Amino acid sequence: MSNPALPPVVDTETWQRELDALRVREKAATRELDAIAAQRRRLPMVEMPDYTLEGADGPVRLVDLFDGKPQLIVYNHMWFEGEEWQCGGCTGFTSQFTRLEFLNNYDARFVIVTQGPIDEALACKRRVGNKMDWYSTANSPFGADVGTPPGGGFGVNVFLRDGDTVYRTWHTNGRGTEQLSHSFALIDLLPYGRQEEWQDSPDGWPKSPTYSRWSGSKEIAAAYGEPGA
């Protein structure tokens, strides 16, 4: 049985012409992203209090999360109290980051902070096979102060350290976090894209309810988690 949802079939010359036209827009988008990054580098910043979080080895100051580096990216992971399986979106997003050593060359570190108690957070990390360093803000106002209060959502925050003083330089949430992801970048290259109802696709293209194709925490644990964790 043939697939009815197919792009038009054309000759190579026509295909190249259409690709070249798209490339003009792609290059314009790249230049706009460069300009946005330049503006981001010029943002002012806000001095942060001296927060104390919890790590695998006990209490840790916010400045110590930098591990001596001047720059820090924090992903604030959603947390639902009492739940064995935490947010599938956060679990899937952070499972992508298995090799972060390249950030050393850029004087930076990337960690997870969650509202979950540290013992539960670390158990969750092992269960789903996450490779990042996790910290808890369960006993600190840090999460609430950077836009992710208990029972709240997720977000990304970036910090800059000058000695023992920490500054908040950037924040995003929602789909703003997609720019850190390689999964959607790959999926968006596919002819059918994300196959979600909201996407602008030709008539007849496969459509699914939003989020329905995302891997859940159980699936990620089965693929990456530690046996018996």
Side-chain angles (χ1 to χ4, degrees):
M1 181 178 177
S2 63
N3 188 347
L6 295 172
V9 178
V10 297
D11 58 76
T12 301
E13 182 180 346
T14 301
W15 175 81
Q16 187 65 56
R17 185 168 59 249
E18 293 289 337
L19 178 62
D20 290 344
L22 177 61
R23 187 59 40 78
V24 171
R25 297 186 64 184
E26 290 175 339
K27 289 294 186 182
T30 297
R31 288 191 291 272
E32 176 62 12
L33 288 174
D34 287 342
I36 290 170
Q39 183 176 350
R40 185 183 299 119
R41 289 190 292 273
R42 289 167 172 79
L43 282 174
M45 58 187 184
V46 177
E47 185 174 344
M48 303 296 288
D50 187 14
Y51 296 100
T52 298
L53 287 71
E54 298 287 332
D57 299 320
V60 56
R61 296 169 63 203
L62 175 61
V63 69
D64 294 330
L65 268 61
F66 287 76
D67 195 25
K69 298 174 176 60
Q71 301 174 107
L72 176 70
I73 303 169
V74 171
Y75 182 80
N76 290 90
H77 195 296
M78 291 180 71
W79 190 267
F80 301 99
E81 187 176 355
E83 297 291 330
E84 178 183 7
W85 299 105
Q86 297 298 324
C87 170
C90 289
T91 305
F93 178 82
T94 56
S95 70
Q96 301 172 81
F97 303 108
T98 58
R99 293 183 175 91
L100 291 166
E101 290 80 9
F102 70 92
L103 287 173
N104 292 331
N105 294 340
Y106 298 89
D107 307 311
R109 193 177 184 217
F110 186 11
V111 303
I112 292 177
V113 172
T114 185
Q115 290 284 355
I118 188 61
D119 55 341
E120 295 180 21
L122 294 176
C124 176
K125 170 187 173 176
R126 291 190 297 271
R127 190 158 52 245
V128 299
N130 192 282
K131 304 301 182 184
M132 299 176 72
D133 290 324
W134 284 50
Y135 299 90
S136 170
T137 186
N139 298 312
S140 164
F142 173 76
D145 290 351
V146 297
T148 53
F154 61 95
V156 174
N157 285 278
V158 180
F159 302 94
L160 183 65
R161 179 180 67 86
D162 182 20
D164 279 351
T165 304
V166 175
Y167 300 92
R168 188 185 187 196
T169 66
W170 187 75
H171 167 261
T172 194
N173 55 20
R175 292 193 64 198
T177 62
E178 288 185 9
Q179 62 188 290
L180 281 69
S181 165
H182 68 252
S183 60
F184 288 126
L186 291 174
I187 294 167
D188 286 343
L189 292 177
L190 300 173
Y192 296 145
R194 304 187 195 188
Q195 304 181 41
E196 295 192 350
E197 293 171 328
W198 61 271
Q199 265 197 311
D200 181 0
S201 298
D203 292 341
W205 253 229
K207 295 276 190 176
S208 305
T210 302
Y211 310 128
S212 63
R213 291 179 178 269
W214 291 25
S215 296
S217 296
K218 287 184 179 180
E219 294 174 280
I220 294 167
Y224 305 120
E226 297 179 10

